[in-house]
Amino acid sequence: MLRPMLKALVPLLITLPAASAQAPVARQPPQAVAERVVELVNRARSQGRRCGQESFPSTAPLAMAGPLQAAAEAHATDMAAREKFAHRGSDGSEPRDRVRRAGYAARLTGENIAFAPETAEEVVAGWLASPGHCANIMDGRFRHTGVGVATGLRNGQLYWVQTFGAPGAGG
């Protein structure tokens, strides 16, 4: 009886998408989560899209940059520790300040934040549904990105940050 059931399950398991593709963040290493967000964002950038009233053509993929990653992780951790959801950091910093402090010489910066999505797919879908966040994702001037996720200590909710950068002269 068990053998026929196994034979029936094998084709089903082979056709299912990889479990890690939509696994909750808590079950994945932070680097894998960041890479998945960037993969989904780059998939969106590869196609033209409308963000609110603004239309964007397809554009080049973003590359992960260590300083932007550090800035995103630091802000996600700060928001989670304070359980406060805002672009302004606890030290009064704005996204451009955190990016500069992390060592990225930018001529242009951007930041998307989110609170509570449990998977990379959920957070990117939410950002793409929001005109301002979508515009950051689709802005062809941005060349680099970093992603941070942290868990609130008391509320257990996830705080997400994606930073965007366009390098300045010589960058």
Side-chain angles (χ1 to χ4, degrees), residues 119-135:
T119 67
E121 288 75 12
E122 287 178 31
V123 77
V124 173
W127 285 334
L128 290 172
S130 164
H133 295 100
C134 178

Side-chain angles (χ1 to χ4, degrees), residues 12-171:
L12 176 65
L13 292 173
I14 292 170
T15 61
L16 291 175
S20 65
Q22 292 195 32
V25 168
R27 297 185 190 155
Q28 297 181 47
Q31 186 63 29
V33 174
E35 289 171 0
R36 180 67 177 154
V37 168
V38 175
E39 175 188 345
L40 294 167
V41 163
N42 282 338
R43 187 178 303 160
R45 286 170 65 93
S46 74
Q47 304 167 6
R49 124 177 0 258
R50 192 166 187 79
C51 301
Q53 299 299 314
E54 197 171 358
S55 291
F56 290 86
S58 62
T59 191
L62 295 168
M64 291 183 77
L68 294 179
Q69 186 73 22
E73 289 171 356
H75 189 52
T77 299
D78 182 48
M79 287 193 301
R82 296 178 304 122
E83 293 187 344
K84 184 174 180 194
F85 179 66
H87 287 285
R88 183 178 298 275
S90 62
D91 62 357
S93 64
E94 294 293 336
R96 69 182 169 275
D97 303 321
R98 293 187 292 275
V99 165
R100 188 177 309 119
R101 188 168 50 216
Y104 185 88
R107 68 178 166 78
L108 179 68
T109 61
E111 178 179 82
N112 285 351
I113 60 175
F115 172 70
E118 294 184 9
T119 67
E121 288 75 12
E122 287 178 31
V123 77
V124 173
W127 285 334
L128 290 172
S130 164
H133 295 100
C134 178
N136 275 343
I137 288 171
M138 295 303 297
D139 190 329
R141 297 174 296 174
F142 291 132
R143 293 291 177 229
H144 301 117
T145 193
V147 177
V149 184
T151 305
L153 299 177
R154 288 184 308 229
N155 66 18
Q157 296 292 312
L158 296 175
Y159 293 80
W160 297 79
V161 178
Q162 182 173 24
T163 56
F164 299 89

